[in-house]
Amino acid sequence: MIIILKDDALPAQIDEIKSALTARGLQIKGIQGESKHILGLVGDTSGLSEDALARYDYIERVTRISDPYKLSGRHFHPQDSVVDMGLGAKIGGGNFAVMAGPCSIESEEQILSVAKDVKRSGATALRGGAFKPRSSPYSFQGLGLDGLELLKIAREKTGLPIVTEIMSEEYLSVFARDVDVIQIGARNMQNFALLRAVGELGKTVLLKRGLSNTIEELLQAADYLLAAGKSRVILCERGIRTFETATRNTLDISAVPVLKKKSHLPVVVDPSHGTGVWDLVYPMALASVAAGADGLIIEVHNQPECALCDGQQSITPALFDKLMRRIEKVREAVRE
Ligand code: PEP
Ligand code: MN
């Protein structure tokens, strides 16, 4: 952190701030320019607030140099993390993973049919919501614990690890026991109590970017999950809210290389929620792969026109199969 003092800062004021900072265990390297006095702070400044320092009327500006996310950042962990997704599946460090399945688990026939289809096409994991974050309280809310049981049957029959969203702390122990990858949805990305509690479980977590959150905020949320030193995190770009109305969200594909640069964690893209339009899923999935994503999460439904949730953005198993073959070609081209 660097503190630039105002030109008219008095020697007594400079001494005051210096002793306040050394009392916090920081070392200070001072630079006296022609008119400016600059203080360079060495040590752990994570507990220092820029805003609080800016209240001193003789401080002109405070600039933080290190990133405000230490655990998810690359600084202390330069190599890519390889994350275990359960049942032998891995993502990151060259392991590519595709999570596919319906938005919501609707019935045993539906989840088994989609699970078998996506498995045959080469999916790595099965997604399916049991607890759904719906904007309207009158919309289908998911089958809850019954849905989770159906998802477990589908795992049993296909050998695919399961990815599903947790909405409240009430079900922490059930998710810890039954779920391979716990999803934190966009709407809960900054539910800090939930993040801390899930972080204590020692599970793999798929953390989705919030609807209006910056990349920095996403990485700070990942640090909440990693704080207990027990859990593993996969980051997910799923589109952000902009003025554009042609798509449900604006898929920020540039977030992929930005996140890869800043963080060692695997990055996946959700082109289903990212666009909200089924025939945009295929091109945007390929674009995500070309941009360097470590994986994808895609909504697939055996009868999208009858889906209880997000049918407009769900692709059929046939299109998913075509996409999977195309993804392989794009990955080869990117590797060349
Ligand atoms: C989902 O994956 O079904 C979902 C609700 O996603 P998001 O949290 O990104 O909206
Ligand atoms: Mn959905």
Side-chain angles (χ1 to χ4, degrees):
M1 187 181 272
I2 286 174
I3 298 177
I4 302 171
L5 299 163
K6 285 190 180 154
D7 292 0
D8 57 2
L10 302 170
Q13 293 174 321
I14 298 173
D15 286 345
E16 178 193 46
I17 186 73
K18 277 185 172 172
S19 44
L21 294 165
T22 39
R24 283 172 158 265
L26 294 164
Q27 280 181 42
I28 298 162
K29 309 265 185 221
I31 302 168
Q32 177 64 67
E34 256 176 38
S35 59
K36 293 264 179 261
H37 198 110
I38 298 171
L39 305 178
L41 309 190
V42 183
D44 181 6
T45 58
S46 55
L48 273 187
S49 145
E50 290 106 302
D51 291 345
L53 286 169
R55 285 185 67 98
Y56 287 94
D57 57 7
Y58 50 88
I59 289 182
E60 186 175 295
R61 203 158 6 113
V62 180
T63 306
R64 195 175 277 285
I65 299 169
S66 52
D67 294 325
Y69 38 85
K70 297 219 176 320
L71 303 171
S72 55
R74 271 208 194 268
H75 190 75
F76 296 109
H77 193 307
Q79 73 284 18
D80 280 353
S81 279
V82 177
V83 169
D84 211 321
M85 297 175 64
L87 301 179
K90 291 195 181 338
I91 184 167
N95 300 283
F96 190 82
V98 179
M99 302 162 225
C103 177
S104 308
I105 302 146
E106 298 171 6
S107 67
E108 184 165 343
E109 304 75 66
Q110 175 243 18
I111 192 66
L112 284 182
S113 156
V114 179
K116 285 178 187 160
D117 283 340
V118 300
K119 160 92 180 182
R120 200 174 318 114
S121 300
T124 320
L126 175 66
R127 66 146 288 150
F131 298 90
K132 295 304 304 176
R134 303 304 301 274
S135 299
S136 165
Y138 309 112
S139 302
F140 175 60
Q141 303 285 307
L143 297 181
L145 290 177
D146 292 341
L148 210 48
E149 289 305 315
L150 299 179
L151 200 56
K152 283 162 64 185
I153 296 174
R155 169 174 60 193
E156 182 72 34
K157 299 256 195 245
T158 58
L160 292 175
I162 52 178
V163 185
T164 193
E165 178 167 354
I166 192 163
M167 293 248 294
S168 94
E169 289 169 57
E170 191 185 344
Y171 295 114
L172 282 170
S173 56
V174 178
F175 274 67
R177 188 191 62 210
D178 290 347
V179 174
D180 299 298
V181 178
I182 301 180
Q183 177 172 323
I184 303 265
R187 290 154 192 83
N188 272 317
M189 191 205 88
Q190 287 191 312
N191 181 341
F192 302 118
L194 184 65
L195 294 175
R196 278 200 194 281
V198 170
E200 289 287 346
L201 299 178
K203 302 285 291 186
T204 295
V205 184
L206 175 72
L207 176 65
K208 298 188 101 180
R209 180 178 180 180
L211 281 73
S212 298
N213 285 113
T214 62
I215 287 170
E216 183 170 291
E217 287 163 345
L218 172 62
L219 291 171
Q220 288 175 304
D223 268 32
Y224 271 93
L225 286 166
L226 295 168
K230 297 179 184 168
S231 298
R232 301 156 294 279
V233 175
I234 304 166
L235 303 168
C236 179
E237 162 58 38
R238 49 77 73 207
I240 48 176
R241 284 208 164 163
T242 69
F243 53 83
E244 183 54 71
T245 54
T247 46
R248 179 178 180 184
N249 291 296
T250 296
L251 187 60
D252 180 9
I253 296 217
S254 61
V256 176
V258 172
L259 284 168
K260 297 295 297 175
K261 200 155 45 174
K262 291 183 181 294
S263 172
H264 57 92
L265 301 174
V267 177
V268 305
V269 175
D270 176 347
S272 309
H273 294 88
T275 63
V277 185
W278 72 269
D279 62 350
L280 300 182
V281 170
Y282 184 95
M284 295 316 274
L286 297 180
S288 307
V289 176
D294 298 290
L296 294 160
I297 177 161
I298 296 180
E299 288 188 338
V300 180
H301 198 286
N302 50 352
Q303 272 185 298
E305 61 287 357
C306 302
L308 295 181
C309 184
D310 286 351
Q312 77 289 354
Q313 65 192 37
S314 300
I315 59 173
T316 59
L319 184 55
F320 178 70
D321 191 64
K322 187 173 157 202
L323 174 61
M324 288 297 280
R325 280 180 280 120
R326 194 79 188 160
I327 285 170
E328 261 326 297
K329 295 217 169 65
V330 175
R331 290 194 65 220
E332 273 165 33
V334 171
R335 268 197 298 266
E336 276 163 15

